[in-house]
Amino acid sequence: MTNDTLSIETERFLSRRVLRVQESPTLQITTLAKKMSADGHDVVSLSAGEPDFPTPDFVCDAAIDAIKHGFTRYTAVAGIPDLRKAVCEKFKRDNGLHYSPDEILVAGGGKQAIQNAILALCDEGDEVIIPAPYWVSFPEMVKIADATPVIVQTTIEQKFKLTPEQLADAITPRTKMLIFNSPSNPTGAMYSEQEIRALMNVLSGKDIFVISDEMYDQLVYGEVAHFSPAQISDLRERVIVSNALSKTYSMTGWRVGYIAAAKWIIDAAAKLQSQMSSHTSSISQKAAAAALMGNQEIVFNMRDEFKRRRDFLHRELSKVQGITCTLPEGAFYLFPSVEGLLGKTFGGTTLQSSVDVADFLLKKHLVATVPGDAFGTPGYLRLSYAASMAELEKAALRIQKAFA
Ligand code: PLP
């Protein structure tokens, strides 16, 4: 049900909370693209943030084993000990972070993990700073907690990175939290260690928490090394690191994510989760432990393939007059400006906004993308290159033809 389709009749029964929250625009577009495909249209979908690779065999085998051995019952709310330990190992191995298992909460995907942390810390009246372009769910999650998102716009000129000055200007006595996401969905931008230290310096001595969403920490393409704000020892107690298995191991449907934070935050978030969902699937937890502890070569192979796709799509899009695209350093999205196309007419359709561009590409040229409006930044499109090379080639040709 979207807010537009609510009738006055039903609206009066619903909570103010649900009326405040928007449905995920990326899921809406992906659903429309899937429907068009089901109706027989040959749609190339670059709208979903979902790797096209299968979940690795050894991970699936661990799940099958779990089922065969009857590991199908309730587990501890915060996750099975094996998995909490595996998450600690992952943090040590990949991020230079040291946590104990009681500083880890496993949840039903990165989304639930982040929502738990926001609900545990934020109340009505609290402000949460979110740099735009942002991942679509951040502001809505803050609204679910009755807190207020404070959006700070970054620009293509600053490579979509928040500056210390912008952060300082956004802070008020009500600021409770900053949501930080590097590499970023939707821009692929990454902050260097130096940039992160400069930003975090602004928070020094203040009771402001940081959610560091590190969903794409393994999908970086070499130019900038991943750095976590939790690596800054003075800040560790106020940083909540979130991550998930979804993108790194091609496990979107398994629903396993986690946060790492000071034990008192984990205990509070686990208390909420215990009343909302208990825990994620016992079978998925076994699979996740196997993924984190297994041979990581599979992750490196996927990363190499994403890099190849990034370079291809970036090169092809850059050939289109009216599209300006920075080369992203991580994640698997391109976020080009389409402002150079606005006010122009293509095949009888005049494009006035990035929503028009996305609509035109989907309906007339069968390529699904997401307008930047969904990420708080009109004038841009997000294209996911987590699609096969054949699909990307088809999409590139169609986009070039659409704007020839
Ligand atoms: N954080 C970011 C930046 C994401 O892009 C996503 C998924 O698109 C998530 C969190 C949530 O991931 P999950 O599918 O594990 O809930």
Side-chain angles (χ1 to χ4, degrees):
M1 191 191 286
T2 64
N3 287 359
D4 302 342
T5 56
L6 288 174
S7 69
I8 303 290
E9 300 287 281
T10 52
E11 202 176 302
R12 71 196 165 96
F13 294 117
L14 293 168
S15 67
R16 285 193 297 280
R17 176 172 306 107
V18 81
L19 293 174
R20 258 197 317 264
V21 171
Q22 298 296 317
E23 218 187 343
S24 163
T26 43
L27 291 183
Q28 274 174 345
I29 291 164
T30 306
T31 307
L32 176 60
K34 278 190 180 149
K35 186 176 176 309
M36 287 174 68
S37 297
D39 291 345
H41 301 283
D42 174 28
V43 176
V44 181
S45 184
L46 305 186
S47 58
E50 177 158 46
D52 58 312
F53 303 111
T55 301
D57 284 345
F58 74 91
V59 177
C60 297
D61 290 344
I64 292 165
D65 253 23
I67 295 171
K68 284 196 175 144
H69 289 96
F71 197 76
T72 52
R73 305 196 173 268
Y74 289 134
T75 72
V77 167
I80 57 174
D82 284 2
L83 179 52
R84 291 173 95 189
K85 257 190 254 155
V87 170
C88 294
E89 283 301 313
K90 175 258 174 309
F91 275 124
K92 197 157 60 170
R93 178 187 67 212
D94 298 340
N95 310 105
L97 292 173
H98 300 274
Y99 288 103
S100 57
D102 60 2
E103 292 176 307
I104 307 294
L105 170 66
V106 175
K111 206 175 241 181
Q112 194 194 18
I114 297 167
Q115 184 74 75
N116 283 338
I118 296 174
L119 283 172
L121 288 167
C122 295
D123 268 323
E124 188 175 350
D126 289 337
E127 293 177 353
V128 177
I129 298 174
I130 305 173
Y134 47 70
W135 177 46
V136 290
S137 294
F138 291 147
E140 307 313 310
M141 288 173 160
V142 169
K143 289 192 232 162
I144 288 174
D146 297 333
T148 307
V150 174
I151 308 301
V152 182
Q153 189 67 57
T154 68
T155 63
I156 195 167
E157 290 75 27
Q158 62 193 87
K159 295 192 170 164
F160 299 117
K161 288 191 260 191
L162 184 70
T163 64
E165 295 72 31
Q166 284 181 304
L167 178 58
D169 285 350
I171 292 173
T172 74
R174 290 172 171 251
T175 305
K176 185 68 178 272
M177 183 181 273
L178 162 71
I179 302 186
F180 184 75
N181 175 217
S182 171
S184 146
N185 174 5
T187 64
M190 279 188 75
Y191 292 74
S192 67
E193 173 177 348
Q194 203 183 3
E195 286 165 337
I196 291 177
R197 285 189 184 278
L199 271 181
M200 297 304 148
N201 217 10
V202 176
L203 304 182
S204 172
K206 298 188 169 69
D207 285 337
I208 298 176
F209 292 83
V210 179
I211 291 189
S212 178
D213 180 340
E214 302 181 7
M215 193 70 171
Y216 300 93
D217 71 317
Q218 293 306 297
L219 298 179
V220 307
Y221 305 115
E223 293 87 347
V224 180
H226 178 263
F227 184 78
S228 170
Q231 286 175 269
I232 304 171
S233 46
D234 291 356
L235 223 75
R236 186 187 181 277
E237 290 298 298
R238 277 184 283 124
V239 177
I240 299 105
V241 180
S242 71
N243 207 325
L245 283 280
S246 309
K247 318 283 176 169
T248 313
Y249 299 95
S250 214
M251 289 177 69
T252 44
W254 298 73
R255 311 310 301 138
V256 189
Y258 49 88
I259 46 175
K263 185 175 178 303
W264 63 272
I265 298 178
I266 293 300
D267 289 347
K271 181 164 85 172
L272 291 173
Q273 181 169 294
S274 76
Q275 297 298 3
M276 291 193 290
S277 65
S278 297
H279 56 80
T280 196
S281 142
S282 56
I283 300 154
S284 294
Q285 290 188 59
K286 280 283 188 194
L292 291 172
M293 296 310 291
N295 187 340
Q296 301 298 297
E297 204 178 307
I298 129 114
V299 175
F300 308 144
N301 292 343
M302 282 198 265
R303 180 172 62 200
D304 291 348
E305 179 56 22
F306 282 135
K307 184 172 193 285
R308 204 165 74 87
R309 296 173 183 187
R310 174 197 71 157
D311 292 345
F312 169 78
L313 196 59
H314 178 262
R315 191 176 61 240
E316 293 306 311
L317 278 189
S318 301
K319 291 179 186 163
V320 179
Q321 225 183 359
I323 294 185
T324 316
C325 193
T326 50
L327 185 68
E329 286 154 334
F332 43 55
Y333 309 99
L334 295 183
F335 198 67
S337 163
V338 291
E339 275 172 347
L341 298 171
L342 304 187
K344 298 197 173 137
T345 304
F346 299 92
T349 306
T350 304
L351 305 174
Q352 303 290 10
S353 66
S354 40
V355 173
D356 286 354
V357 177
D359 205 55
F360 171 71
L361 278 177
L362 178 57
K363 298 202 176 126
K364 298 274 167 60
H365 295 275
L366 303 178
V367 180
T369 61
V370 187
D373 311 57
F375 312 97
T377 312
Y380 293 80
L381 285 190
R382 189 193 76 173
L383 296 89
S384 161
Y385 51 87
S388 72
M389 205 58 185
E391 290 289 280
L392 293 179
E393 279 167 9
K394 208 159 29 166
L397 279 177
R398 287 181 187 179
I399 295 170
Q400 287 166 349
K401 192 167 149 237
F403 304 119

